[in-house]
């Protein structure tokens, strides 16, 4: 079993929809949780960063962490065609020497 | 702004060639990472380095080596390129004690 599981999609939604992206993990030592966005033929860029459990909001994006269920989510409100990208979850904790454990990524398309 | 640069965006090499991929970061980060990214497999860690001349194997080090002679530069070496090493290669860095990583634009390597 991989340490981080993420449904690869693809996910296709109309403009304006609310998008929910999710990951599950198995390592209870993980305490740092990130979401990266990767446009086609580009490197991933950090989108959201949360520590431990709870919610974090940044504009149209909300990240949620439920450590009791080992489950994290990214919500995108009022989705736009410019949100079309691959979204990767990543997490770390314990003595991992700064390395991250990534999900496989979910490919999202928002159509006008 | 953190800047991670990679020496080439696209590279075509022949089977058996020795290939060097270069990565440079300008933020004095201690940690540097090399990943490969393949459809359906996500990001896989090849090697990482947490200090000059220090290196650790990631999850798929076979067929690769690395060099870090200066803090800002981390090189990935394919000793004898094979067709199964055709992939997108991504370099990343982060400061010591932190987990969020900053990625370069990637090098798409084709081995024929």
């Amino acid at each position: 079993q991989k340490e981080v599981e993420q449904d690869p999609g693809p996910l296709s939604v109309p403009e304006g929809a609310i998008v929910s992206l999710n990951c599950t993990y198995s390592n209870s030592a993980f305490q740092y949780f990130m979401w990266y966005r990767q446009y086609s033929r580009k490197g991933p860029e950090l989108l959201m960063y949360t520590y431990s459990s709870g919610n974090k909001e940044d504009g149209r994006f909300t990240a949620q962490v439920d450590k009791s269920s080992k489950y994290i989510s990214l919500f995108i409100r009022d989705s736009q065609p410019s949100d079309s990208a691959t979204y990767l979850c990543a997490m770390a904790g314990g003595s991992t020497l700064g390395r991250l454990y990534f999900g496989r990524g979910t490919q999202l398309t928002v159509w006008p | 702004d953190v800047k991670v640069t990679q020496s080439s965006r696209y590279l075509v090499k022949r089977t058996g060639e020795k290939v060097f991929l270069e990565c440079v970061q300008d933020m004095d980060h201690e940690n540097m990472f090399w990943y490969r990214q393949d459809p359906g497999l996500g990001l896989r860690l090849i090697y990482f380095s947490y200090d000059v001349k220090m290196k650790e194997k990631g999850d798929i080090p076979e067929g690769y080596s690395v060099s870090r002679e200066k803090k800002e530069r981390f090189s990935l070496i394919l000793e004898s390129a094979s067709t199964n090493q055709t992939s997108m290669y991504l370099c990343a860095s982060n400061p010591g004690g932190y987990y969020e990583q900053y990625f370069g634009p990637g090098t798409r390597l084709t081995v024929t």
Side-chain angles (χ1 to χ4, degrees), chain A residues 24-38:
Chain A
T24 59
Y25 63 95
S26 57
N27 189 341
S28 56
F30 289 157
Q31 296 212 67
Y32 302 87
F33 303 94
M34 277 148 263
W35 287 94
Y36 282 81
R37 178 175 62 196
Q38 185 177 20

Side-chain angles (χ1 to χ4, degrees), chain A residues 4-110:
Chain A
V4 181
E5 299 283 356
Q6 181 177 10
D7 186 340
L11 191 58
S12 181
V13 301
E15 183 175 356
I18 296 173
V19 175
S20 171
L21 305 167
N22 311 293
C23 289
T24 59
Y25 63 95
S26 57
N27 189 341
S28 56
F30 289 157
Q31 296 212 67
Y32 302 87
F33 303 94
M34 277 148 263
W35 287 94
Y36 282 81
R37 178 175 62 196
Q38 185 177 20
Y39 291 115
S40 183
R41 298 187 184 88
K42 304 274 187 176
E45 57 176 334
L46 183 64
L47 190 61
M48 299 283 283
Y49 183 178
T50 54
Y51 170 71
S52 195
S53 281
N55 293 359
K56 184 173 183 178
E57 192 172 315
D58 183 2
R60 296 184 295 109
F61 299 89
T62 300
Q64 282 188 355
V65 175
D66 181 350
K67 288 189 69 183
S68 63
S69 302
K70 296 190 180 72
Y71 188 87
I72 70 169
S73 302
L74 178 71
F75 297 97
I76 307 174
R77 288 183 301 281
D78 188 25
S79 56
Q80 303 294 310
S82 58
D83 295 327
S84 298
T86 297
Y87 291 80
L88 301 116
C89 63
M91 47 199 80
S95 72
T96 55
L97 287 173
R99 70 167 285 183
L100 288 173
Y101 293 83
F102 285 87
R104 296 186 183 188
T106 300
Q107 186 179 345
L108 171 68
T109 300
V110 181

Side-chain angles (χ1 to χ4, degrees), chain A residues 2 32 34 36 38 41-46 49 88 92-105, chain B residues 9-10 31 33 35 37 40-43 45 48 50 56 58-59 88 90 94 98-105:
Chain A
K2 273 180 69 74
Y32 302 87
M34 277 148 263
Y36 282 81
Q38 185 177 20
R41 298 187 184 88
K42 304 274 187 176
E45 57 176 334
L46 183 64
Y49 183 178
L88 301 116
S95 72
T96 55
L97 287 173
R99 70 167 285 183
L100 288 173
Y101 293 83
F102 285 87
R104 296 186 183 188
Chain B
R9 291 300 308 275
Y10 300 93
N31 302 328
F33 305 82
Y35 297 89
Q37 186 175 35
L41 297 177
L43 281 170
L45 182 64
F48 63 105
Y50 52 92
E56 289 281 338
D59 300 322
M88 168 72 109
L90 288 157
N94 66 4
Y98 291 84
Y99 290 100
E100 65 270 33
Q101 293 180 12
Y102 300 90
F103 283 83

Side-chain angles (χ1 to χ4, degrees), chain B residues 15-59:
Chain B
T15 302
E17 278 194 77
K18 191 168 186 175
V19 181
F20 293 86
L21 302 181
E22 303 282 336
C23 176
V24 177
Q25 50 92 6
D26 67 357
M27 285 302 291
D28 203 36
H29 286 172
E30 282 77 15
N31 302 328
M32 296 188 74
F33 305 82
W34 274 108
Y35 297 89
R36 62 178 284 177
Q37 186 175 35
D38 301 287
L41 297 177
L43 281 170
R44 292 182 291 168
L45 182 64
I46 305 171
Y47 267 98
F48 63 105
S49 168
Y50 52 92
D51 202 351
V52 175
K53 296 192 188 293
M54 305 300 285
K55 61 186 178 185
E56 289 281 338
K57 291 180 181 178
D59 300 322

